[in-house]
Amino acid sequence: MVTFLFAIILLIVGYIVYSKVVERIFGINDAQLTPAYTKSDGMDFVPMSWWKGSLIQLLNIAGLGPIFGAILGALYGPIAFIWIVVGCIFAGAVHDYFSGMLSIRHNGEQYPTLVGRYLGKTMQGFINVISILLMVLVAAAFTAGPAQLISEITPLSFIVALIAIFGYFVLAALLPVNKIIGRIYPIFGAILIFMAVSIAISLLFSDTSIPNLTFANLHPGDLPIWPLLMVTISCGAISGFHSTQSPIIARTLKKESDGRKVFYGAMIAEGVIALIWAAAGMTFFGGTEGLQAALTAGGPAGVVNEISTSLLGTLGGILAILGVIILPITTGDTAIRSSRMMLIELLSKSFKKTEEASQGKGKFIVIIATVFIMIPTFFLSTIDYSFLWRYVGWTNQVVATVMLWTGAMYLLKNSKFHWICGIPAIFMSGVVCTYIFYAPEGFSMGYNISLAIGTALTLIIIGWYIKQIISHKNNNSDSQHTAA
């Protein structure tokens, strides 16, 4: 229990201290008008208060991610606490802050366009495809589960439930951001927080004790911690999906100083939620073997339901149903919205003005782009959920890694302390390079050979990074000589 409480304290201290360090290095300017005002369109660029933006951001990036992922990561034992805390403070929250603040600095641009600015057009083309693919996979994976549960507890069939959910998606994607998302998301965000806090209090006062830190790998299947834990627990530590969501809120912030509270703060809140559910998974079933048995019997949704109803009674059952149905749907709708925004931005050169997306012909373009995204999403929602989820993990962390490198290049080109993004970017490069060769959805190679290949690729990336640093220093030196 001491480890759990200390981990929560560290996350809070991380926000109080390190978020200010990151903000100072980035360099905010509240005198500069944000895109919410300079590009106000009544659709996506709409000023909103920071507290409402924070709750919406939390729900956008969280959903069931820090619940399901943390429960699966709990199979490794208390070492998962270390990854959540360190990953959240030094990687995930930094990642979210830069994805949001760079969008603000560049007129609300979407993640792929930001990548193109700092990593080049080739990388932008790659990330355009992979990020839209990630959005479609996330929306599909986070829709199939709720539709299945609705069909089990109501007279509706799976397909009818799926159609109803997609009907809501159409409204959420096409209406102005302050009409549905801005009004109901803060309520659902509060439910997510209340659910986690209630579970935490119940755990602390229960007869069982939350296990303290051990560096041993307690996974019943003896799966390696590196790099699997870093992909299993993404939401709550670092998740590339967040970089696709931050521009939604970046288009609504009233001033740049709100960014620390909204982007960095929401990620820390998600880290706390992940810690609570990881602790619940380790504790409630008497260890990782008991958790594995529960997951085999009912999956993550069954585990959430059992923990909630047992610790919180009837209220817990209601919260579990709300969580397993509503939270993934709210992730799916913003995935659809952000992919629609990415697609329009990608094709904006075909229009006279990107702003056309707010009126006249632009409204027709918004509808066409939404339909284009929703057709494959609906089809994928009808296939096996576990198959979809296997491909979400690695794709998600590739997107996160590229965003960290984007932040590092922004800082480097502006002669700022780039290591706050560069070091976690190197770490995550090692994760994704090793994972793709070892994982069954990748090349399914042996662990040692995967580790060797991943390390070699990471060293090549480090070499590229050093080359960029040297090149920047040489350019600065040449500029100074020229000026002299």
Side-chain angles (χ1 to χ4, degrees):
M1 184 176 295
V2 173
T3 301
F4 171 69
L5 293 175
F6 187 59
I8 289 182
I9 292 171
L10 283 177
L11 283 177
I12 295 171
V13 172
Y15 172 73
I16 294 172
V17 177
Y18 196 64
S19 68
K20 293 180 180 178
V21 172
V22 172
E23 181 184 62
R24 186 161 56 250
I25 292 172
F26 179 84
I28 60 170
N29 179 13
D30 278 346
Q32 182 172 311
L33 289 177
T34 63
Y37 295 106
T38 61
K39 299 190 69 175
S40 179
D41 63 359
M43 179 67 175
D44 296 318
F45 295 88
V46 180
M48 287 197 297
S49 62
W50 72 264
W51 66 266
K52 185 178 288 189
S54 294
L55 285 172
I56 295 172
Q57 174 75 357
L58 176 60
L59 201 62
N60 281 1
I61 66 176
L64 283 178
I67 300 177
F68 281 11
I71 288 172
L72 293 171
L75 289 170
Y76 291 90
I79 197 168
F81 292 152
I82 297 177
W83 167 235
I84 292 172
V85 171
V86 176
C88 186
I89 294 173
F90 298 105
V94 173
H95 165 281
D96 288 16
Y97 184 80
F98 274 85
S99 62
M101 294 306 296
L102 286 178
S103 180
I104 289 176
R105 281 289 169 87
H106 296 293
N107 297 312
E109 285 182 352
Q110 291 294 300
Y111 163 67
T113 307
L114 296 174
V115 171
R117 280 183 176 274
Y118 297 102
L119 296 180
K121 296 301 180 183
T122 301
M123 182 58 74
Q124 180 181 358
F126 166 75
I127 216 66
N128 257 315
V129 174
I130 200 169
S131 56
I132 292 177
L133 175 63
L134 173 62
M135 294 302 94
V136 170
L137 287 172
V138 166
F142 274 47
T143 302
Q148 185 62 47
L149 182 57
I150 290 172
S151 69
E152 292 174 0
I153 63 176
T154 70
L156 299 177
S157 68
F158 173 76
I159 292 297
V160 172
L162 201 61
I163 292 173
I165 292 172
F166 271 83
Y168 162 74
F169 282 177
V170 171
L171 293 176
L174 296 180
L175 289 176
V177 68
N178 61 336
K179 296 301 182 183
I180 291 182
I181 293 175
R183 290 181 178 178
I184 66 173
Y185 269 39
I187 299 172
F188 293 149
I191 290 174
L192 178 65
I193 295 171
F194 178 77
M195 186 177 180
V197 171
S198 299
I199 293 295
I201 294 173
S202 298
L203 280 176
L204 292 174
F205 289 96
S206 66
D207 296 332
T208 55
S209 180
I210 300 171
N212 285 318
L213 180 62
T214 172
F215 291 96
N217 182 359
L218 302 182
H219 198 291
D222 198 30
L223 294 177
I225 293 172
W226 173 272
L228 299 189
L229 177 60
M230 291 76 193
V231 176
T232 302
I233 302 181
S234 54
C235 289
I238 177 171
S239 168
F241 178 71
H242 299 185
S243 65
T244 67
Q245 301 303 293
S246 293
I248 295 177
I249 304 303
R251 296 180 175 195
T252 69
L253 294 192
K254 294 181 178 180
K255 54 185 179 180
E256 289 192 355
S257 59
D258 288 343
R260 183 175 68 89
K261 293 173 283 191
V262 172
F263 301 121
Y264 201 103
M267 184 63 217
I268 293 296
E270 188 185 60
V272 172
I273 292 170
L275 275 177
I276 291 170
W277 282 101
M282 296 174 205
T283 306
F284 186 81
F285 299 98
T288 57
E289 291 187 0
L291 174 59
Q292 179 68 76
L295 286 167
T296 302
V303 168
V304 170
N305 183 61
E306 187 171 352
I307 292 174
S308 299
T309 53
S310 297
L311 294 180
L312 304 177
T314 303
L315 174 62
I318 295 172
L319 289 175
I321 291 174
L322 283 173
V324 175
I325 292 178
I326 295 176
L327 296 181
I329 291 176
T330 58
T331 300
D333 65 11
T334 51
I336 294 290
R337 189 180 188 91
S338 60
S339 57
R340 180 262 292 171
M341 291 161 67
M342 287 182 194
L343 188 61
I344 289 176
E345 194 167 281
L346 175 64
L347 302 175
S348 62
K349 291 182 180 179
S350 301
F351 318 138
K352 290 182 180 179
K353 294 182 180 180
T354 305
E355 287 81 3
E356 281 185 335
S358 65
Q359 58 184 7
K361 178 183 174 183
K363 291 184 178 179
F364 176 73
I365 294 166
V366 168
I367 295 172
I368 294 300
T370 303
V371 171
F372 184 83
I373 293 295
M374 290 185 70
I375 290 175
T377 305
F378 185 88
F379 170 75
L380 288 172
S381 298
T382 63
I383 68 177
D384 181 36
Y385 171 90
S386 60
F387 171 81
L388 292 174
W389 196 247
R390 289 207 310 268
Y391 290 92
V392 169
W394 181 76
T395 307
N396 185 45
Q397 297 305 60
V398 167
V399 170
T401 304
V402 174
M403 182 62 237
L404 285 171
W405 282 122
T406 301
M409 290 303 102
Y410 162 79
L411 292 172
L412 178 62
K413 291 179 180 180
N414 286 276
S415 299
K416 298 183 178 183
F417 190 72
H418 52 87
W419 294 105
I420 61 168
C421 287
I423 291 176
I426 291 171
F427 180 88
M428 290 305 299
S429 295
V431 168
V432 297
C433 287
T434 304
Y435 183 89
I436 192 60
F437 290 99
Y438 179 69
E441 63 269 26
F443 295 101
S444 196
M445 295 182 176
Y447 182 67
N448 289 333
I449 185 65
S450 300
L451 190 61
I453 296 173
T455 301
L457 291 174
T458 305
L459 289 174
I460 292 173
I461 294 171
I462 292 173
W464 166 82
Y465 187 28
I466 293 173
K467 182 179 178 181
Q468 298 301 311
I469 295 171
I470 294 172
S471 176
H472 176 72
K473 287 182 178 179
N474 290 339
N475 289 339
N476 278 354
S477 178
D478 290 343
S479 298
Q480 291 173 0
H481 285 311
T482 302

